[in-house]
Amino acid sequence: MREKTQKFLKKLNDLKKNTLINIMKIQFIFLSNQLDTLIAKMPINSKIFQPFGFLHGGATIILAESVGSSISFFIFSSFFVFSFASFFIFSISF
């Protein structure tokens, strides 16, 4: 299973080319075997600070949305494939 999650991580990191995720240098670094936890990192520097010296809220949201939408995709697609396969197997068994 670990090999499968490593492939997913590589695929996620490859998909970010030419996107805001790439511009923000967000890197997906961990995906759990159950596909229910995704961890990413984003470098913090003065380019993404507010004029007051704090991290810009928009940068925080970009990170949160990138991780949230990516893990949601995995959860949804694995549920859909599992449900479809279960339905198909159930249908054949009649």
Side-chain angles (χ1 to χ4, degrees):
M1 187 65 152
R2 190 76 225 147
E3 186 177 309
K4 183 179 179 181
T5 57
Q6 290 302 317
K7 283 183 182 180
F8 281 150
L9 271 178
K10 183 179 179 341
K11 189 173 273 192
L12 270 178
N13 283 307
D14 289 345
L15 287 173
K16 68 183 185 181
K17 293 175 184 164
N18 299 318
T19 68
L20 184 58
I21 297 171
N22 192 45
I23 292 169
M24 298 300 289
K25 298 184 176 150
I26 295 171
Q27 183 180 15
F28 299 104
I29 59 173
F30 175 79
L31 178 62
S32 69
N33 288 337
Q34 297 80 15
L35 303 179
D36 62 353
T37 303
L38 177 63
I39 298 174
K41 65 181 182 177
M42 178 179 73
I44 305 298
N45 57 45
S46 61
K47 291 181 181 181
I48 57 174
F49 285 169
Q50 298 173 340
F52 310 109
F54 299 107
L55 177 64
H56 195 285
T60 306
I61 296 302
I62 290 168
L63 178 61
E65 193 279 332
S66 298
V67 172
S69 62
S70 296
I71 194 67
S72 295
F73 172 76
F74 280 119
I75 291 169
F76 176 76
S77 58
S78 65
F79 172 76
F80 180 75
V81 170
F82 176 75
S83 297
F84 180 75
S86 298
F87 175 74
F88 189 67
I89 292 166
F90 180 73
S91 297
I92 290 174
S93 64
F94 267 94

